[in-house]
Structure formats: C-alpha cells, structure tokens
Amino acid sequence: KRWRRLVSDPGFRRRFRAHYRKPPLLGCFYLDLDIGYVFTPTLDPPDRIPAARFSLPQQRCRDERLAFVECRHGLALFLNKNRPEAVVWNPISGHQRRVAFPTEFGNTREMDILYAAVLCAAGDDDPCHVHGDCDLSSFKLALVRGGEDNASVSVCLYKSKSGLWGNVISATKDWYTLSSRRMHGVLVGNALYWWFIQVIEGVILEFDFEMQKLVVVEKPVDQGRRSGFQIVRKEESSLGLIMLTELTMRLWERKVNSDDVATWALQKTIDLTKHLWPRQSVQVFWTRIQGYDEDHNVIFLGTSSGSFMIQLDSMQFDNRFQFKSIFTHFPYTSFYAADWAAGGRDDGTEMSSSTSPNCPIR
C-alpha cells in the first residue's frame, strides 16, 4: 500500500522522471496482417508490460481507418485514411486529439502526405520538463506533402497550445522518382529529418521548426548500391546516417565546422556477420532496417535468420525479442506506472477517456 501511494503521488512521479531523464523503451508497435497493429514488449520481468495493455481495437466503426506513422515522447501519431486529419494518441492514458489538415494544403488526402511527425512542446515553457509520458496539452505536429508539379515539397507546423497551423514552407527539387513509402522522421536538436526514398538514390529533408527553414541535405558519397538507409541521432545531437549493404553497415556523421560548413565523415563500418552469428555459419538471404529508437539510439534489424536490436553506441546486439513482422516497427518509449495508466493524470488535462483510437488501424 505504501508503494502504491508513492507511485500515485504526482510529486514523486515528477522527481522520478527528472532523476532518470530518459524514459525506457517499453516495446514496439508493428503490423500483423491478420489482426492489425499489435504491441510487443521489450523489457524483462518484472518491468515487462503485458502486450494486451496496448492492444489496439478491431473494427469499431465502418467508415474510418488509421495509418500508423510514428511514436515520439510517449505519443503516437496516425493519419486518417478517410478524412483529412491527424490523430495524436497517448497509449498510456488513452487520450487522443484529432487535428484537421491545414486549409493551405487544399484538398489533401492521407495518401498525399509524404511524411508527418509529432513531438511534445511542454519543454518550450518548462525547461525542467522531461519527455516521456507527455500528455496532449502541448505538442507540435508537422505534415509534409508533395507539390502537384513534382518539383517541390511543403511542410506546415501545428501547435496545440494555440490550436493553429503556421505558414507553409516549401523546398524545390526534382522529386519525380520519389517512392510512396512513408518513413518516420528523426528529431535532432530543433530539426526533424526524413529520408526521401528515390528509385536509385535518396536525399534527406531537414525541417528546422525553430528557424522555420526547409532544406535538402545530400547524403554522403558512398560507392555501391545500398539496400537500406536510416537517419540516426548521434550522442552530441548531430545528424547521422546508416547505410546498409547486405551484411555490412556503414555509419556516417555530419559535422559542421567553425565556418558553418557541413561535411560527412565515416565513423565506423560494421560487419554484421561477426556480431550476429560469431560462432556459426548462417546463410542470410535478406536484411532490412525495420525501425529506429532515437532516444536510445537502437536499430531494429530484420534478417531472414532472425530479428536483432542493435545499440549503436555500445554495439550491443540483442536477439531475445523475435518480431514476427517484416514491416516497419514503431518503438515506443515512456514512463509507465500501472495505477497511473489505469486512472488519473497529474496535469489536470481532460481528454477523451477511450483507451485507444476509436476505429480500426490497418
């Protein structure tokens, strides 16, 4: 009873978050073709959260479907496939907010949105705020869409505090070979980065939401055809990029000198065979980067011979959690207390009391 009273005390929870600073990786959402999106926990007992705690509902209405986009700061983001709106959801509390697409985007549908991102904005007013279990009282939402002429992309930023969309910002480039696969963004400092897939090559789109700038960043020059790319956040909040070629990963870092000139530098080359199967001969037919946790710098790597979590700073490889899906994984980090999740909040926010988005997620 004493422990129960302690973890339900708002002051204790704030001190706990401030002490640990970084919320744990609770698990991943990913697509199961038979039942939709499911949650798989990654923590060991007794901290392991039951998978059913974040199980998403099956059909509860006929005219709406939601597409999973990403997770960040304890929030999950979806795009409505039937109406021009985004849905921001807190899986811990079950609260959600729906935000209509900006009118400046015109008659935009879910399929027209190339990329989207959500992030907590509570730190703008509270320098001591620790991300994780962030509620919906203050968040930012970014949407990126392509121009009809295939020669530009535009981004618009929403702030929940004001309830308004900002100005539309555009960048010009030849996007005619752009792939339709939507990848989640990576937050580095005050900027969001997305990898733009093209038929042969690719580039990075940078949106600095503080400076309100949208620019294109060219990838490092690297010989050979790559089977996968993943933007990563380096320890000192610098931009990194992983290039995957079958069983080799090359990690690059973008450095800016005193003259504000940015260059790419190769940091390390990783032979996956030596790390994943050090004492056995295994035939691998394919490898795929399936997800990335920017808070812990962890890559989720899928292969024909199993799934692996790779901590890029320590180069620790973990294959205890075998994910059964070949699709994108959405890592979810947050502080979690069972009593808190089942009941109230400490910020007085009143939102929808549903425990999940109201409609099927496919």
Side-chain angles (χ1 to χ4, degrees), residues 240-291:
L241 180 67
I242 284 182
M243 295 183 174
L244 175 66
T245 304
E246 297 179 348
L247 293 174
T248 301
M249 285 200 316
R250 294 166 69 85
L251 178 57
W252 295 78
E253 182 178 5
R254 191 167 183 257
K255 297 184 176 182
V256 181
N257 62 21
S258 57
D259 296 325
D260 204 28
V261 176
T263 57
W264 288 100
L266 180 63
Q267 296 297 301
K268 63 179 70 173
T269 299
I270 306 167
D271 185 342
L272 295 175
T273 305
K274 295 180 180 179
H275 292 278
L276 304 184
W277 306 279
R279 290 178 292 274
Q280 55 183 314
S281 177
V282 177
Q283 188 173 12
V284 180
F285 298 99
W286 56 266
T287 56
R288 181 180 295 116
I289 297 175
Q290 295 181 297

Side-chain angles (χ1 to χ4, degrees), residues 122 182 189 217 293 337 361:
R182 182 185 294 133
V217 178
D293 172 20
I361 299 170

Side-chain angles (χ1 to χ4, degrees), residues 73 75 119-126 129 131 134-135 138-140 159-161:
H73 296 161
L75 304 176
L119 62 150
C120 173
D124 293 351
D125 300 320
D126 180 9
H129 176 77
H131 293 307
C134 306
D135 206 17
S138 185
F139 66 89
K140 296 176 183 177
K159 296 182 179 180
S160 66
K161 190 172 182 179

Side-chain angles (χ1 to χ4, degrees), residues 326-347:
I326 64 172
F327 299 104
T328 300
H329 294 45
F330 302 96
Y332 181 68
T333 62
S334 182
F335 293 108
Y336 175 89
D339 287 348
W340 181 29
R345 303 288 306 177
D346 63 356
D347 55 12

Side-chain angles (χ1 to χ4, degrees), residues 149-153 171-178 196-198 203 216 218:
D149 55 359
N150 293 324
S152 65
V153 291
T172 302
K173 186 175 175 62
D174 185 2
W175 305 102
Y176 70 94
T177 56
L178 188 66
F196 267 73
I197 307 173
Q198 294 176 299
V203 295
V216 174
E218 297 294 337

Side-chain angles (χ1 to χ4, degrees), residues 63-66 78-87 98-103 105-113 141 143 145 165:
D63 64 342
E64 186 175 73
R65 293 188 303 159
L66 302 177
F78 305 85
L79 295 181
N80 195 325
K81 293 187 176 183
N82 300 88
R83 292 196 295 272
E85 67 176 12
V87 179
R98 293 173 178 256
V99 180
F101 292 170
T103 55
F105 274 8
N107 188 25
T108 299
R109 300 166 296 172
E110 176 270 337
M111 62 183 300
D112 299 320
I113 300 298
L141 170 66
L143 297 181
R145 70 156 297 169
W165 288 95

